[in-house]
């Protein structure tokens, strides 16, 4: 054995309990693989699973596993995009199906990593918590026999009695928020317990985040609804335009409330380089909670949702809904309603479809259905020569329409979009030149259909619509609290240092008291010697140095470099 190994062994033996681990982390033990037997293998597997390095590895795997969920379309979020991906990637799609990449967060492999991480964190936290509680209930360990072995050390001689020195040291250390007590001929003190508390809080917060995330995914609901000014909405499943939820969600979990959209207002920059940029989007609504709740008025803005008993109503989109009137050949009104059109650009150039499904008869009295393709611009500029809006506000609105008659296909049982026109069984109305009948309509203008088939009028009343997203995601508050706690706990574990200080005062052979002070931190740091120097200076003022036996010079407390002895 080398001299270095011998010295290290002596150091550990001299420090004893004083040099015990300054944390709640379990001791790393070099263990060989277990022998045959189920219990041995289970115990070995549990030790590996609950080690911190495995927990960090699982956390990394969970982060990596979430990446495909962000890059690849998911069936739970947008089934249409998944089908488009399948059609465009005939080779990759079957591979992704086998790997569960179209439903990452509910796949077997992602759930396995999630559960293993959960178990690993609990296995890490429980023993560390009990150990930390034991440390709080106990006292700082007594001073080792040889304080000179510690990395930060100083000593001096004083005329004060040992008892007086220890009492002064005890008061001084408690004043600096050390947990201190007299143990034999020395005062033992310890500080920095918040480091271990922060470590535990960080790991507990991770568990809270995992539970909150899981509950949010299992019990969440999210739906969208488009409402024209004057429309009402009740929070029931049939009222949604589209709706998706977690696997454990039930329709009875929907918060009972309703609201009406009274008015929508949007303002825009009128000039400058940001011309047309939205300044405000506001939806004025009246809502009530429950079947007999009192009606209240409020305004929903972007990023300022309406919160009702854990359900949030977000304002997510906006557009225009021109009011259109359709008459049959006899002048009877068969359709009169605002038609919501979908924006195509930032200036709200919009398109959509007007479908007249019931009540229409042509000039001969034959039942038919009508379909109109509509293109709307809120600000038309004739000089531009294009049917594109020049500004998002209603400065010069114009509606372009063309007309079809026949069977819309709405009774076939096949679902179709309200914003698209199925022309398979439709015939276009022709003008006098045999071309597709179309016309640009200003508010109040009418397009008359040929052969007495009726007409369509663009009314002067132009309404606006607002798109709302209603989200109900339990565990959001817990997730936020867990994230904040994790940040605070991590900051405490990184910036707070656990350290111990001992002050020994004994009477020497010549009757003069010898004072020794030493400090020990969890890791090598300049903070422990610096703090020990400040404490020694304060204690030296109360127990000043005595002359050495050889001369009359007084000795000031000096903290030597780490590892040095005096």
């Amino acid at each position: 054995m080398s001299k270095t190994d011998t010295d290290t062994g002596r150091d550990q033996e001299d420090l004893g309990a004083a040099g015990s681990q300054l944390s709640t982390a379990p001791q790393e033990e070099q263990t060989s693989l277990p022998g045959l037997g189920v219990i041995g293998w289970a115990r070995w597997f549990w030790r590996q699973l609950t080690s911190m390095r495995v927990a960090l590895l699982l956390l990394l795997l969970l982060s990596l596993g979430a990446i495909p969920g962000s890059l690849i379309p998911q069936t739970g979020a947008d089934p249409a995009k998944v089908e488009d991906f399948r059609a465009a990637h005939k080779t990759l799609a079957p591979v992704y199906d086998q790997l569960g990449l179209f439903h990452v967060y509910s796949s077997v492999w992602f759930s396995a990593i999630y559960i293993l991480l959960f178990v690993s964190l609990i296995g890490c936290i429980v023993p560390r918590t009990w150990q930390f509680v034991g440390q709080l209930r106990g006292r700082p360990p007594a001073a080792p026999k040889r304080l000179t072995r510690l990395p930060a050390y100083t000593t001096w001689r004083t005329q004060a009695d040992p008892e007086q020195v220890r009492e002064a040291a005890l008061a001084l250390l408690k004043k600096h928020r050390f947990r201190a007590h007299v143990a034999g001929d020395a005062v033992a003190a310890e500080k920095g317990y918040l480091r271990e508390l922060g470590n535990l809080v960080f790991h507990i917060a991770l568990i809270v985040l995992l539970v909150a995330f899981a509950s949010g995914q299992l019990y969440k609901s999210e739906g969208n609804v488009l409402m024209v000014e004057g429309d009402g909405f009740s929070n029931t499943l049939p009222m949604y335009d589209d709706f998706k939820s977690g696997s454990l969600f039930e329709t009875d979990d929907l918060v009972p409330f309703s609201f009406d959209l009274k008015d929508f207002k949007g303002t825009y920059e009128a000039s400058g380089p940001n011309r047309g940029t939205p300044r405000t989007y506001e939806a004025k609504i009246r809502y009530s909670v429950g079947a007999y709740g009192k009606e209240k008025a409020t305004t929903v803005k972007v990023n300022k949702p309406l919160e009702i008993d854990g359900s949030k109503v977000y304002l997510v989109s906006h557009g225009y809904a021109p009011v259109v009137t359709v008459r049959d050949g006899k002048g009877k009104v068969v359709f009169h309603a605002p038609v919501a059109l979908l924006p195509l650009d930032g200036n709200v150039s919009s398109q959509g479809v007007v479908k007249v499904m019931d009540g229409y008869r042509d000039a001969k009295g034959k039942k038919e259905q009508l379909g109109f393709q509509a293109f709307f611009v809120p600000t038309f500029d004739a000089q531009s020569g294009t049917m594109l809006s020049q500004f998002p506000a209603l400065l010069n609105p114009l509606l372009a329409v063309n007309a079809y008659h026949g069977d819309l296909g709405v009774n076939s049982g096949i679902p179709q979009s309200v914003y698209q026109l199925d022309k398979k069984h439709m015939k276009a109305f022709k003008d006098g030149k045999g071309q597709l009948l179309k016309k640009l309509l200003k508010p109040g203008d009418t397009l008359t259909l040929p052969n007495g088939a009726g007409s369509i009028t663009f009314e002067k009343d132009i309404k606006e619509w607002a798109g709302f997203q209603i989200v109900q995601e339990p565990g959001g508050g817990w997730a936020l609290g867990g994230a904040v706690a994790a940040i605070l706990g991590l900051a405490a574990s990184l910036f707070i240092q656990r350290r111990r200080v001992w002050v020994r005062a004994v009477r020497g052979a010549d009757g003069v008291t010898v004072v020794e002070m030493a400090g020990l931190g969890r890791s090598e740091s300049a903070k422990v010697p610096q703090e020990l120097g400040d404490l020694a200076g304060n204690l030296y003022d109360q127990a000043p140095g005595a002359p050495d036996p050889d001369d009359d010079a007084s000795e000031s407390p000096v903290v030597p470099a780490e590892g040095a002895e005096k």
Side-chain angles (χ1 to χ4, degrees), residues 15 250 298 368:
L15 293 179
E250 298 181 358
T298 188
E368 270 192 320

Side-chain angles (χ1 to χ4, degrees), residues 189-399:
E190 191 166 358
K191 188 178 182 180
Y193 289 91
L194 286 179
R195 178 189 182 96
E196 300 307 321
L197 180 61
N199 200 320
L200 292 175
V201 168
F202 172 73
H203 289 87
I204 293 174
L206 289 182
I207 292 181
V208 172
L209 283 171
L210 291 175
V211 174
F213 176 77
S215 63
Q217 293 297 314
L218 292 174
Y219 294 97
K220 75 172 183 179
S221 67
E222 180 181 306
N224 295 280
V225 59
L226 186 149
M227 298 177 62
V228 179
E229 291 172 325
D231 286 351
F233 170 81
S234 178
N235 194 26
T236 57
L237 203 57
M239 296 292 292
Y240 284 95
D241 295 331
D242 62 83
F243 185 85
K244 56 188 177 185
S245 62
S247 57
L248 298 183
F249 176 84
E250 298 181 358
T251 55
D252 293 340
D253 297 331
L254 287 172
V255 177
F257 68 87
S258 60
F259 67 90
D260 299 330
L261 176 61
K262 296 300 181 181
D263 181 59
F264 181 89
K265 181 180 180 182
T267 60
Y268 311 90
E269 290 287 345
S271 60
N274 295 323
R275 183 178 185 272
T277 302
R279 296 183 62 184
T280 59
Y281 279 155
E282 298 178 351
K284 295 182 179 180
I285 66 173
R286 295 189 67 86
Y287 72 97
S288 61
V289 181
Y292 307 102
K294 183 179 179 181
E295 196 174 62
K296 302 177 182 178
T298 188
T299 300
V300 180
K301 302 179 181 180
V302 177
N303 297 326
K304 291 184 179 180
L306 170 65
E307 297 188 28
I308 305 175
D309 295 339
S311 184
K312 295 183 179 181
V313 181
Y314 292 91
L315 176 62
V316 294
S317 56
H318 150 260
Y320 292 102
V323 178
V324 174
T325 301
V326 179
R327 294 176 172 85
D328 63 10
K330 296 181 179 181
K332 177 184 175 183
V333 176
V334 293
F335 181 90
H336 176 77
V339 179
L341 305 179
L342 297 181
L344 300 176
D345 56 30
N347 287 325
V348 204
S349 302
S350 309
Q351 70 175 6
V353 174
V354 180
K355 297 181 180 181
V356 181
M357 296 177 285
D358 298 308
Y360 172 77
R361 293 178 182 270
D362 61 11
K364 299 178 180 179
K366 179 183 177 181
K367 289 185 178 181
E368 270 192 320
Q369 294 176 331
L370 297 180
F372 300 88
Q373 289 183 321
F375 196 91
F376 175 78
V377 290
T379 301
F380 175 72
D381 183 8
Q383 296 181 354
S384 67
T386 60
M387 191 62 180
L388 292 176
S389 178
Q390 303 301 307
F391 195 75
L394 292 171
L395 301 182
N396 184 25
L398 194 69
L399 181 68

Side-chain angles (χ1 to χ4, degrees), residues 27-43:
Q27 297 272 359
E28 291 288 341
E29 298 179 359
Q30 296 293 333
T31 57
S32 58
L33 291 177
L36 296 177
V38 177
I39 296 178
W41 279 106
R43 184 178 300 170

Side-chain angles (χ1 to χ4, degrees), residues 139-155:
R139 291 186 171 187
K145 295 180 180 179
R146 300 176 63 184
L147 292 178
T148 55
R149 293 289 187 180
L150 297 179
Y153 172 81
T154 187
T155 182

Side-chain angles (χ1 to χ4, degrees), residues 141-188:
K145 295 180 180 179
R146 300 176 63 184
L147 292 178
T148 55
R149 293 289 187 180
L150 297 179
Y153 172 81
T154 187
T155 182
W156 72 93
R157 292 154 50 86
T158 181
Q159 296 290 350
D161 293 335
E163 292 78 8
Q164 294 177 347
V165 175
R166 289 192 288 268
E167 289 177 2
L170 183 64
L172 175 65
L173 291 169
K174 287 184 176 181
K175 182 180 179 181
H176 285 77
R177 299 188 302 277
F178 278 84
R179 293 180 63 207
H181 71 104
V182 178
D185 58 359
V187 176

